[in-house]
Amino acid sequence: MRRASRGPGLAIFAATFVLYLAVGVYLASGLHVYVGDSLSRVQSAQSVLFSRDPHLAAIGFIFTPLTAIVQLPLTALTPWWPELTTEAISAAVMSAAFMAGSVVQISGVARDRGLPGWMGGLITVCYAINPMIVFYGANGMSEAPYLFFLAWASRRLIRWVDTDDVHELVVAAMALGFGYLTRYDGGAATMAAALLVGLVSFRRAEKVGTPPSTRWYRTILDVGLVVLPSAVAFVGWALTSWLITGNAFAQFSSEYGNASIIEQSGGSGSDTAEAALRFSMTELAILAPLFPLLLVAVVVTRATRRRLYPLLPTVLLIGAVLAFQILSYSRGSTFGFLRFYITVIALAAIVALLAVPARRTAPVRRPGVYAAMPVVESRRRPVTIMGIAAVVTMLVAIPVTAWGMTSPKYAPQEFALTAVVAPRPDSTERKHLDAQRVLRSFSTERALAQYLDSLDLPEGSVLCDTVYGFAVVVASTRPKQFVIPSDQDFTTILNDPAAHGVQYLLSVPNEGRGSADALNIRYPTLYDNGSQISVLVLEARNDGANLPDWRIYRVIPR
C-alpha cells in the first residue's frame, strides 16, 4: 500500500494560486476589466447577504450555484473590504484557487505514475501557463472550478481502473456531483463516467470468471456509486428551483436563461450546422493543435500493450463534455465562445501524461477484488520518444492559443487582452478600437453606481432589473438602495413604484436582451418617455461593448 505525498501538491498550489490571483487582482482592481458572467455571480452572492431582502434563494437559479456559494464567505467580509464585491476580488480568489487546484490534479497524475520529473514537470507547467488557463484562473468565471472537478474525477478514475479501490470511485463521484453544480454540462461527464464504470466493472468480472449474477450486481453497484452524487445534485437543484421559481430548469425555460438570451441576441453565430461544426473544430485546433496526433499515437501504443483502460476515463469524461458543447453549438443552443472548449487543454495534458508507461503503481488505500496493477517498465528509449512528443504537444499549444486569442471571430471574449498585453493608445485600427471598447465594458455601470451612491438614498429607492443592472448593483457600496428581482416584494413594488417609496428607475432600451427587462415588460415605453410615471433625470451612453445605453428616470410622486 502506497500513499501519495502532499508536499509537492501544496507547493504547486501555492505557486499557481499566487500567479492567478495576482493577474486577477491586476485585471479587476488595476484595469477594471471584467467578464459579465463573473460579475453576475458576484452580484448573486452579494444579494444573498447584503440586499434589502437577504435570503439564500437570492442566489438565483439561472446558473448552477457552486461558484456563487463558494464566494459567500469572502462576500461576508465586504463591510470591511468593499472591493471584494465592488471590484469582484472574491471572484478572482475563487477562480485562482480552483484553477490552482486543477494544476495540482494534472501534476498528481504524473506523480501517481512515477513519471520522469522533466516530463511531468514540463507538461504541468505548460498546462499552468497556457494563456487560456491563466486568464480563466484570474477572471472569476466558472471554467476554473469546472476544470478542477473534471481533472479530479479523471485522476481518481484513472487510479480506480488499476486499483479497483472503492475509495477512488467515491471521490470521483463526488467530483462529478460538484461538477454538475458548477456547469449543467457536467451531466454529460457523469453519463460518460457511468458508461466507463459499467464497462470496466463488467469486463473485469467477466475476465476472472465471476458468476453472471454477481457480475451484474457488482456492475450495477459501481455504476450507482459513481452516479449517485450527480443524481442527487440534479434532482435537488431542479426541485429547489421548481419550488421557489416554478421553473425546474430556469436556465432553459426562463426569460433570463440561455435559450432566451440567444434568441434576444439574434442567434448563436453560425447559420448552419456545418458552419458550426467547422467553427468548433477551429476552436479546438486553437487550444490543442497537435492533440489529435498525440491521441492516435497514445491509443496505438496502449492498445499494443493492452493498457487502454487508464486512457478511457479522461477521454470519455472530457470528450463527452466537448461533444455536448459541439452538439449544442451546432443546434444553435449556445454561443461560440472559445472558453466553452477550454476543457480540451486538460484533456491534452492528461493524455500527454499517459503517453509513457507508469514507473510505479498508483497510490492505493485498499486494492479491490479486481485490481489490475500495471507492470512497471523501465525501458528508456520508448519513454523518451513518447515523452518528448507529449511535451512538444503541450509546448506548441501555448503560442498557438495565444495567437488564437487575438481573433475577434474565434475569441470574442478574449481578443481584447491584446490591448492589455500590447497597449497602443494612439492606434486608430478598428480591431484595436474594438478591443479597447471591450475592456471598457461595465465602466458606465460603475459610474452609474457611483452617481447613485452619491445621492445618499434611503433603502429601496432605486428599482431595476438585473438583466443588465447586475453590474450597477454589484459596483455600488449601498446595495440596499436597490429593489431587484430576487426581492420577494419586487413584483408588488414594480406595479406601483411611487406607493412604495421608489425614487428612481434604471431603464435600458426595450430591444434585444432589454426586452426581457422586467421594467420594460411592465412599462413598455419607459425608456422612450417614462411611461407617464417618471421623468428623465440622466442619460448615459455606454462606453462598453454590446451593452445598452442607460436612462435614469425619477418617479413622479403621488
Side-chain angles (χ1 to χ4, degrees):
M1 180 183 297
R2 185 176 67 83
R3 300 282 182 90
S5 172
R6 295 184 178 180
L10 290 174
I12 292 170
F13 177 86
T16 50
F17 175 73
V18 169
L19 168 65
Y20 300 144
L21 183 59
V23 175
V25 171
Y26 174 67
L27 290 174
S29 292
L31 302 178
H32 297 302
V33 173
Y34 307 102
V35 182
D37 286 354
S38 174
L39 277 185
S40 179
R41 288 172 171 87
V42 174
Q43 190 270 320
S44 295
Q46 179 196 55
S47 296
V48 171
L49 298 176
F50 298 113
S51 65
R52 56 180 290 275
D53 181 21
H55 57 286
L56 186 58
I59 205 164
F61 294 91
I62 303 301
F63 298 116
T64 43
L66 188 137
T67 49
I69 289 175
V70 169
Q71 294 180 56
L72 287 177
L74 288 173
T75 304
L77 302 176
T78 298
W80 300 277
W81 188 1
E83 291 78 11
L84 284 169
T85 295
T86 60
E87 296 184 356
I89 299 299
S90 65
V93 173
M94 179 277 296
S95 62
F98 276 115
M99 195 63 86
S102 78
V103 178
V104 171
Q105 296 304 321
I106 298 296
S107 69
V109 175
R111 287 182 279 114
D112 290 345
R113 310 182 70 247
L115 298 186
W118 65 268
M119 179 184 173
L122 285 174
I123 290 175
T124 300
V125 169
C126 288
Y127 171 82
I129 66 173
N130 185 287
M132 283 289 287
I133 297 298
V134 173
F135 182 51
Y136 283 93
N139 64 13
M141 296 286 281
S142 63
E143 275 65 28
Y146 196 46
L147 281 171
F148 168 71
F149 290 125
L150 286 177
W152 190 19
S154 297
R155 181 186 177 191
R156 292 294 181 160
L157 287 174
I158 290 171
R159 288 187 184 185
W160 174 78
V161 297
D162 282 342
T163 66
D164 192 33
D165 185 351
V166 69
H167 297 90
E168 308 294 354
L169 199 59
V170 169
V171 174
M174 292 171 57
L176 290 168
F178 286 128
Y180 177 79
L181 291 176
T182 304
R183 291 266 290 269
Y184 284 109
D185 45 346
T190 299
M191 288 188 286
L195 176 63
L196 166 74
V197 170
L199 173 66
V200 173
S201 293
F202 188 85
R203 291 295 299 274
R204 282 194 307 204
E206 184 181 45
K207 188 175 181 180
V208 298
T210 303
S213 59
T214 304
R215 190 185 313 159
W216 281 108
Y217 174 78
R218 174 61 185 267
T219 300
I220 293 172
L221 180 62
D222 286 347
V223 171
L225 277 175
V226 80
V227 168
L228 182 60
S230 296
V232 171
F234 173 83
V235 174
W237 183 243
L239 181 61
T240 303
S241 177
W242 177 72
L243 288 173
I244 294 176
T245 70
N247 290 325
F249 303 101
Q251 169 72 355
F252 309 103
S253 57
S254 168
E255 64 270 20
Y256 300 107
N258 209 44
S260 296
I261 292 174
I262 290 173
E263 182 180 355
Q264 294 155 8
S265 302
S268 63
S270 291
D271 296 330
T272 65
E274 182 181 354
L277 182 60
R278 288 198 303 269
F279 184 91
S280 295
M281 294 301 104
T282 304
E283 300 280 68
L284 292 174
I286 287 172
L287 297 174
L290 297 183
F291 171 66
L293 298 177
L294 177 67
L295 180 61
V296 170
V298 173
V299 168
V300 171
T301 302
R302 284 193 161 270
T304 302
R305 298 172 183 273
R306 297 185 178 181
R307 288 285 298 161
L308 274 176
Y309 276 173
L311 184 63
L312 293 181
T314 305
V315 171
L316 288 179
L317 263 65
I318 301 182
V321 170
L322 291 170
F324 179 84
Q325 168 58 31
I326 293 170
L327 177 62
S328 298
Y329 185 60
S330 68
R331 297 180 61 183
S333 57
T334 189
F335 290 103
F337 294 152
L338 186 62
R339 64 184 175 91
F340 288 159
Y341 303 87
I342 194 174
T343 52
V344 75
I345 301 175
L347 173 60
I350 297 177
V351 170
L353 292 170
L354 295 170
V356 300
R359 291 190 174 184
R360 66 184 178 202
T361 57
V364 58
R365 289 178 178 270
R366 189 187 66 189
V369 176
Y370 303 121
M373 298 295 191
V375 177
V376 177
E377 302 186 28
S378 59
R379 288 179 293 175
R380 301 291 179 177
R381 181 164 181 161
V383 170
T384 302
I385 293 174
M386 287 300 294
I388 291 174
V391 170
V392 168
T393 297
M394 296 301 296
L395 279 172
V396 169
I398 295 175
V400 173
T401 299
W403 170 79
M405 289 173 67
T406 65
S407 168
K409 177 180 179 180
Y410 294 108
Q413 294 183 306
E414 296 84 15
F415 83 98
L417 293 175
T418 55
V420 174
V421 177
R424 293 182 293 160
D426 298 327
S427 174
T428 58
E429 182 185 350
R430 175 63 181 272
K431 178 180 176 181
H432 193 74
L433 293 176
D434 289 344
Q436 289 180 325
R437 186 170 175 82
V438 171
L439 293 181
R440 291 195 299 270
S441 294
F442 307 112
S443 61
T444 301
E445 287 73 12
R446 291 178 62 82
L448 287 176
Q450 293 167 3
Y451 167 73
L452 292 170
D453 288 351
S454 70
L455 300 179
D456 196 24
L457 298 170
E459 182 177 316
S461 296
V462 182
L463 181 65
C464 73
D465 199 344
T466 49
V467 171
Y468 286 112
F470 68 88
V472 179
V473 177
V474 78
S476 171
T477 58
R478 301 168 60 88
K480 291 183 182 295
Q481 68 185 320
F482 296 96
V483 180
I484 55 178
S486 62
D487 296 340
Q488 297 177 71
D489 55 356
F490 176 78
T491 301
T492 301
I493 296 175
L494 176 65
N495 285 328
D496 195 349
H500 293 87
V502 172
Q503 298 184 35
Y504 294 97
L505 307 175
L506 287 186
S507 177
V508 296
N510 192 1
E511 59 188 27
R513 287 192 63 192
S515 62
D517 187 289
L519 276 72
N520 283 332
I521 293 174
R522 179 63 181 85
Y523 306 105
T525 63
L526 175 63
Y527 185 82
D528 295 328
N529 56 30
S531 287
Q532 299 182 342
I533 64 168
S534 58
V535 293
L536 183 64
V537 173
L538 177 71
E539 182 170 10
R541 296 287 182 180
N542 210 305
D543 293 331
N546 302 315
L547 292 169
D549 297 331
W550 289 89
R551 288 180 179 174
I552 297 180
Y553 282 91
R554 184 177 182 86
V555 176
I556 299 173
R558 287 188 170 184

